[in-house]
Amino acid sequence: MTISDQDILFLGGCVREAAQAEIMPRFRNLGAADISEKTSAIDVVTQADLLAEHRITAALKERFPSALVVGEEAYETDRSVVPALADADLAFVIDPVDGTFNFAAGLPVFGTMLAVTVKGETVAGIIHDPVLGDTVTAIKGAGAFLTRQDGQSSRLRVAEPAALNQMVGGISWGHMDDPDRSRISANMAKIRMTFAFNCSAYEYWMVASGKLHFIGHAKLMPWDHLAGVLAHQEAGGHTAKFDGTPYRPGETTGGIISAPDRESWQMIRREIVGI
């Protein structure tokens, strides 16, 4: 199964339409009944998540009726869909509102992510900023590009390698348990500056465009990483799991680091992650 240029345009349109119709009208307009906890007070879902995912899923099913569609919110009712990504002929992975905690708090740091996989390989990814209207699009073998709301487009490129004490980056240690949590948070003092966006969409956007040198995560749900990892790789970066193996659709454990090159990746793994 191949994805055409027209398909990519269609997918970008689906994401933008969902943002305009379901996400932005609810931004800073949510009532208490529109927000529900999933696993904790910092893991929430809103009506915007549910309705945007439903809208995108319906559009995908109409155009690609035989495809597997994996949505973050739908996963709660059918967890078999994530392992199925390893072999699916064609699959779409949706995070309707990545950074839901920020969205629910009224912070404009969230995004919509959509990845396309074919036989266990990510072949396209889209990261859309509903607030700014800008979109990152990555196609395997063809690069990663930022398209502004006004139509201007530019190719993305990761940061140049740097000494550890000059790096800017972030590891999402908040989702880890001790001793990893304490070790990694302490090691972050070795770099020049650290950020925690609580939003994979923004983190991958920043690392793929060279604004951050590295990012890292322990939790590997596909809607948080597939589109972003492809964008980072197509921008020239090196991404791998903590053990050095490639990250593939369907995998949910093992941790991940994205850095400018393999040597930088090894330094972050050694000096920051500490393994």
Side-chain angles (χ1 to χ4, degrees), residues 130-144:
V131 177
L132 297 178
D134 297 345
T135 307
V136 170
T137 303
I139 302 173
K140 186 170 181 61

Side-chain angles (χ1 to χ4, degrees), residues 19 30 69 71 91 99 187 197 221 224 250 253 259:
L30 294 171
V69 179
N187 283 341
F197 294 106
M221 301 314 290
D224 289 328
T253 60

Side-chain angles (χ1 to χ4, degrees), residues 78-144:
D78 182 5
R79 301 205 167 194
S80 68
V81 293
V82 168
L85 288 170
D87 299 308
D89 289 334
L90 175 65
F92 299 93
V93 182
I94 310 164
D95 193 339
V97 182
D98 182 73
T100 301
F101 180 86
N102 298 344
F103 176 80
L107 300 174
V109 184
F110 57 90
T112 301
M113 305 177 78
L114 189 153
V116 185
T117 73
V118 174
K119 287 291 187 181
E121 182 178 40
T122 308
V123 298
I126 294 171
I127 306 174
H128 179 64
D129 182 335
V131 177
L132 297 178
D134 297 345
T135 307
V136 170
T137 303
I139 302 173
K140 186 170 181 61

